[in-house]
Amino acid sequence: MTVRVRFAPSPTGMFHVGGARSALQNWIYAQQHGGVFVLRIEDTDAARNRPEWTEGIISALDWIGIERGTYEGPYFQSSYAADHTAAATRLYGEGKAYYCDCTRDDVVARSGNKHTGYDGFCRERGLGPGEGRALRFRTPDEGETVVEDLVRGKPTFENKLIEDFVIARSDGSAVFLLANVVDDMSMGITHVFRAEEHLPNTPKQQMLWEALGVTPPVWGHVPVIVNEKRQKLSKRRDKVALESYRDEGYLAAAMRNYLMLLGWAPTGDREIVPWSVIEEEYRIQDVSHAPAFFDVKKLRAFNGEYLRALTPSEFTQVCAPWLTGTDTIAAPSWPAEKFDAELFTTIAPLAQTRITVLSEIVDYVDFLFLDEPVHDEASWAKAMKEGAADILDGAAAAFGALTDWSADALKTALEQVGEARGLKLGKTQAPVRVAATGRTIGLPLFESLEALGRERTLSRIAAARARL
C-alpha cells in the first residue's frame, strides 16, 4: 500500500498556524513512508472563498518547505460535486439514508428540550426528495464504533448516542461530512491526520466509509493549539496568520521547527534541531494528547537563535525585503536612492546579534540612510538632561580633532570627554547616541559613528546641540 495523506484547507482567510502544523505533520509522514502528499482546496463555501486565499495557501506552503510541484494537486472540492451527489443517491437507494423535513423547532417541540438531538422522527415516513427535505444517514441503534487512532489509541463511541446526521441539503448538495469522505475515497487517502476538534466527526465519517464499502483510513487526531490563557487559538483574538509571521521577519526554518514542537519533542534535552533530525525522529504516535501552547515569546527567541546561526552573507540576504520593501512588506522610511548596500554589509553583523525578527532591522540602521535621524521623544527626554549640552560640545570638539575616524579612536575621545567631567562612559554616550541615531538603544555607538562618517556625525551633534 502506498501511503497517501492529504491537507485540505478552506480558502476563506489567512493561513492559520494550526493548518501549517497539520500540513507539516502530514508532509513528514508521507516523506518517511515514501508516500504521497495531496493538497485539496475545500472551496465549496462560495460566499467566502476568494482566489487570493487559495494562492495564499499555496505560497505559505512554499514558504515552510512544502513546495509546489513536490506534491499532488491542488485539487478543488467543488470539482467533485457530482461524486458527492452520486454517493448520497447511493446511500438513499440502499436504505442507508432517508429524507427528513423536520426543522430544529419541530425537534425541540417534540422533546421540550432545546438541547436534545434529532429523534429519528422521519426514519420510517418514507419521504422522498423535495423542498425543505434534508438527507440523513441512518446510524446504527446498537453497538459501538471504534476509531483506530495513532495518537489517541482506540476512542470508542456508542452508536445509540450518535443521531441520524445530515449528509445532504435539500438542494442536493453534500455537507462537509459526506463531501470530505467522498473526496478522500476518490483520492485514495490512506491516512488522515488532523486536529482533535474533528474527532467527534470521525465516528460519523467512519460509518460513511463503511456504508460506501471502503475501508476507513488510519486516523490521527493531534492536540489543538491554545494561547497563554489555554484558549483555542482564534482568528478574532489571537495572532494566527502564518503570513503575518513571515512578513514580520520570522525565518521559515525557525517557524517549522517551532510548529513541530507543538505536542512533540526530539530526543535529548534539545528543541532547536535541524529539519533532517525532525524528519528522522518525528513519530505521529509520540504526539502528546495535551493542548499545545503557542508561545509567541518562545517562537521569537527561536527565531533569534536561527538568525544568529546564519553566515553574514546569509543574514544580509534575508534582511533585503525589509530594506527595500515588497508587495507585502512596507518600504522603509528612507528614500530608495539613499540606501547603500555596501554600507549595510559593514554594519549588518552588529545587528545580527541583536534582532530577533527581521523587521527590527529597519530601526537599527535607519539612521545611516536618512538625512536626519528619527528622534524618539522618550529617548530624547531621557538623554538630553542637564549637562547634555556640555557633553555634546565636548564630543564635537574631540571628534572634530580626530585624524583617525575609527571606532576605537572615537571611543577613546569620548572617554576623555567624560573623564574631564567626572562621568562614566555610559553617561557620556547617551546624548551623543541620541543626537546621532535618534534612539537610546541601538547598535554599538562607536561602530555606528564610524559607519555614519565624520561629516554627518558632527552635523547631527550640532543640530542636537542647537535644539537644547
Side-chain angles (χ1 to χ4, degrees):
M1 178 187 70
T2 298
V3 167
R4 290 177 63 84
V5 300
R6 50 82 164 170
F7 177 57
S10 298
T12 56
M14 303 292 274
F15 193 57
H16 197 291
V17 291
R21 181 188 65 159
S22 291
L24 287 170
Q25 290 170 328
N26 279 278
W27 174 257
I28 287 179
Y29 194 87
Q31 298 298 301
Q32 289 175 335
H33 294 83
V36 177
F37 178 96
V38 176
L39 175 61
R40 182 172 74 234
I41 305 297
E42 300 200 333
D43 62 338
T44 53
D45 188 349
R48 298 174 62 205
N49 294 339
R50 284 160 44 185
E52 57 265 37
W53 296 137
T54 296
E55 175 55 31
I57 291 168
I58 295 172
S59 64
L61 290 176
D62 281 339
W63 184 64
I64 58 173
I66 305 176
E67 298 177 352
R68 62 190 87 197
T70 63
Y71 52 78
E72 196 173 295
Y75 299 117
F76 292 86
Q77 188 171 67
S78 57
S79 301
Y80 292 81
D83 292 343
H84 306 158
T85 300
T89 300
R90 173 183 165 186
L91 292 171
Y92 172 66
E94 293 176 355
K96 298 173 182 176
Y98 61 91
Y99 283 97
C100 170
D101 61 2
C102 295
T103 66
R104 183 61 193 159
D105 288 342
D106 293 336
V107 175
V108 172
R110 286 195 295 269
S111 66
N113 185 342
K114 64 180 181 179
H115 301 295
T116 300
Y118 178 67
D119 55 5
F121 181 79
C122 291
R123 265 192 170 199
E124 309 304 331
R125 293 179 64 197
L127 298 177
E131 185 176 351
R133 295 178 179 178
L135 187 64
R136 289 184 179 272
F137 183 77
R138 190 186 298 268
T139 61
D141 294 322
E142 300 177 349
E144 299 173 330
T145 295
V146 179
V147 174
E148 299 283 346
D149 192 299
L150 292 183
V151 177
R152 299 179 179 277
K154 295 184 178 182
T156 300
F157 301 84
E158 289 189 70
N159 292 334
K160 66 181 180 180
L161 300 180
I162 302 175
E163 67 179 24
D164 292 352
F165 53 92
V166 174
I167 58 174
R169 304 174 185 88
S170 60
D171 63 2
S173 62
V175 302
F176 165 79
L177 287 172
L178 179 61
N180 196 262
V181 166
V182 173
D183 290 344
D184 284 347
M185 289 180 181
S186 300
M187 298 172 192
I189 302 304
T190 61
H191 295 70
V192 173
F193 304 134
R194 56 190 184 180
E196 67 175 318
E197 62 198 65
H198 294 288
L199 184 57
N201 289 329
T202 306
K204 299 175 183 179
Q205 292 185 308
Q206 186 159 302
M207 289 177 183
L208 290 172
W209 278 83
E210 293 166 348
L212 291 167
V214 181
T215 301
V218 176
W219 307 97
H221 291 86
V222 299
V224 296
I225 302 177
V226 297
N227 62 18
E228 69 280 0
K229 296 180 180 179
R230 296 303 187 265
Q231 300 167 319
K232 179 185 170 184
L233 284 189
S234 165
K235 292 181 180 179
R236 296 178 179 85
R237 181 185 57 240
D238 304 303
K239 182 180 175 182
V240 300
L242 189 71
E243 298 94 327
S244 296
Y245 289 99
R246 178 190 63 194
D247 294 345
E248 188 178 342
Y250 287 84
L251 296 177
M255 175 60 77
R256 64 182 185 176
N257 184 167
Y258 182 71
L259 287 174
M260 290 305 297
L261 296 181
L262 298 177
W264 175 83
T267 58
D269 186 19
R270 55 183 180 165
E271 292 184 310
I272 297 177
V273 294
W275 184 248
S276 59
V277 170
I278 296 176
E279 286 185 310
E280 179 181 351
E281 294 192 2
Y282 176 79
R283 296 292 181 271
I284 187 72
Q285 297 92 329
D286 295 337
V287 173
S288 168
H289 296 188
F293 171 36
F294 191 88
D295 187 344
V296 178
K297 291 181 180 178
K298 185 173 182 178
L299 171 60
R300 199 178 187 94
F302 257 58
N303 201 64
E305 292 292 331
Y306 270 87
L307 287 174
R308 287 186 283 279
L310 297 175
T311 66
S313 61
E314 288 171 338
F315 179 74
T316 299
Q317 184 177 0
V318 297
C319 284
W322 286 267
L323 302 173
T324 58
T326 68
D327 290 343
T328 58
I329 298 170
S333 54
W334 57 79
E337 66 274 10
K338 294 288 186 178
F339 178 69
D340 184 334
E342 186 175 346
L343 179 59
F344 175 75
T345 299
T346 65
I347 207 79
L350 300 174
Q352 185 175 359
T353 61
R354 288 165 170 78
I355 68 172
T356 53
V357 292
L358 290 168
S359 56
E360 293 174 340
I361 193 64
V362 174
D363 286 346
Y364 274 94
V365 303
D366 63 355
F367 74 96
L368 290 172
F369 309 120
L370 292 168
D371 290 334
E372 299 295 337
V374 177
H375 284 108
D376 172 65
E377 292 305 320
S379 295
W380 180 274
K382 182 178 180 180
M384 300 303 184
K385 296 178 180 179
E386 184 178 354
D390 182 44
I391 292 173
L392 292 178
D393 287 339
F399 291 167
L402 290 176
T403 56
D404 174 17
W405 192 266
S406 67
D408 288 342
L410 288 161
K411 180 181 179 182
T412 298
L414 195 59
E415 283 176 334
Q416 293 172 351
V417 170
E419 288 170 1
R421 291 159 177 78
L423 298 173
K424 293 183 178 180
L425 184 59
K427 292 287 186 181
T428 316
Q429 282 190 90
V432 176
R433 176 184 290 280
V434 172
T437 70
R439 301 178 178 89
T440 54
I441 297 174
L443 304 180
L445 175 60
F446 303 107
E447 286 80 357
S448 297
L449 298 181
E450 180 181 340
L452 188 61
R454 177 191 301 272
E455 182 180 343
R456 289 202 291 167
T457 296
L458 294 177
S459 173
R460 291 183 182 188
I461 290 175
R465 176 65 180 85
R467 182 178 169 185
L468 290 174

